[in-house]
Amino acid sequence: MCGRFVLFTESLLDEVGALPGVTEVHAPQGTPGPRYNIAPTQPVAMVRVRESLAQVDPARWALLPHWKKDLDGPPLFNARAETVASKPSFRHAFKGQRCLIPMNGYYEWHQEEGGKQPYYVRAEEGLLWAAGLWDTGLDRLSATIVTTAATEEMEWLHHRLPRFLAAEEMRTWLEGSPEEAAELLLPTPLRGFHTHPADKAVGSVSNDYPELLGE
């Protein structure tokens, strides 16, 4: 699963502009500032792409389906790949409202002898791009992150993993048919994740500073 992540890069719009096929980037509402402990229901940067135009918008991290009438129920911050195409909360968005959620890395907790230890997970270099869905229930832009079973490399940490997209998969996820997108609902092909212990203070959503990353 993915319940906390970070996005602190100052060059987000440049990174979006370097995505496959993108030649123009719009961010009409600006982008969220650097964050080191993003939690569900808080604003995140969400990227949508149509042809050569990419748009970056702040969105609530926890999907509000278009039919949602209130905020009751658990926040839908993750969507399981195994049921995303059929579950009522996600199936409409999966058909044609797919997006990217950029992150520098994310936190995952692991049960150890002294209790639960948070770990910070990142790519060897650059941003990670998670497959996401968006919707506009309650007249609010919102998003969720798709998760799959963990890769063999990462299953020691947790049995679920965000569906991080490789560069060659992004256009299919963003603009492909539901059938084409469904072919990507498998564990990420990316390997070489770096993990190290994070500061346990990350457990409190009120803490948000670089030292949380550890090492």
Side-chain angles (χ1 to χ4, degrees):
M1 66 178 290
C2 180
R4 300 283 181 84
F5 71 92
V6 307
L7 179 62
F8 54 81
T9 182
E10 296 181 357
S11 59
L12 177 59
L13 297 185
D14 291 336
E15 298 277 0
V16 173
L19 293 175
V22 171
T23 60
E24 187 176 354
V25 180
H26 291 178
Q29 300 181 65
T31 58
R35 293 291 311 281
Y36 296 89
N37 193 8
I38 303 171
T41 75
Q42 294 180 344
V44 299
M46 184 191 75
V47 180
R48 292 176 286 184
V49 179
R50 284 293 178 267
E51 298 180 350
S52 62
L53 172 64
Q55 181 158 322
V56 185
D57 292 295
R60 176 187 191 264
W61 180 27
L63 198 74
L64 296 170
H66 65 281
W67 44 260
K68 190 80 169 167
K69 299 188 185 312
D70 52 50
L71 292 174
D72 290 348
L76 304 175
F77 57 92
N78 286 168
R80 293 176 64 90
E82 295 85 348
T83 56
V84 70
S86 58
K87 193 170 182 179
S89 295
F90 305 121
R91 64 190 179 193
H92 172 77
F94 177 74
K95 287 180 180 179
Q97 295 176 182
R98 298 185 294 272
C99 63
L100 304 176
I101 307 294
M103 60 181 77
N104 288 93
Y106 71 101
Y107 299 107
E108 193 60 81
W109 277 257
H110 185 251
Q111 185 64 49
E112 299 184 352
E113 186 174 338
K116 286 191 174 182
Q117 170 64 50
Y119 282 80
Y120 178 58
V121 184
R122 62 174 178 84
E124 184 172 354
E125 59 181 28
L127 294 179
L128 291 165
W129 300 88
L133 308 175
W134 63 272
D135 213 329
T136 54
L138 300 180
D139 294 323
R140 297 177 62 182
L141 189 60
S142 61
T144 189
I145 293 173
V146 177
T147 68
T148 69
T151 60
E152 183 177 354
E153 173 191 18
M154 296 300 295
E155 62 184 1
W156 70 271
L157 182 57
H158 197 276
H159 66 283
R160 304 294 295 179
L161 183 70
R163 182 32 168 116
F164 295 120
L165 294 163
E168 62 271 16
E169 298 176 318
M170 291 181 182
R171 302 302 298 210
T172 299
W173 178 255
L174 291 166
E175 298 184 307
S177 68
E179 292 75 20
E180 291 170 329
E183 294 181 4
L184 300 179
L185 296 176
L186 298 169
T188 179
L190 301 182
R191 298 293 185 272
F193 292 99
H194 288 245
T195 63
H196 62 254
D199 191 320
K200 289 186 177 181
V202 75
S204 173
V205 298
S206 63
N207 294 324
D208 190 348
Y209 44 83
E211 291 76 14
L212 294 175
L213 303 179
E215 289 189 359

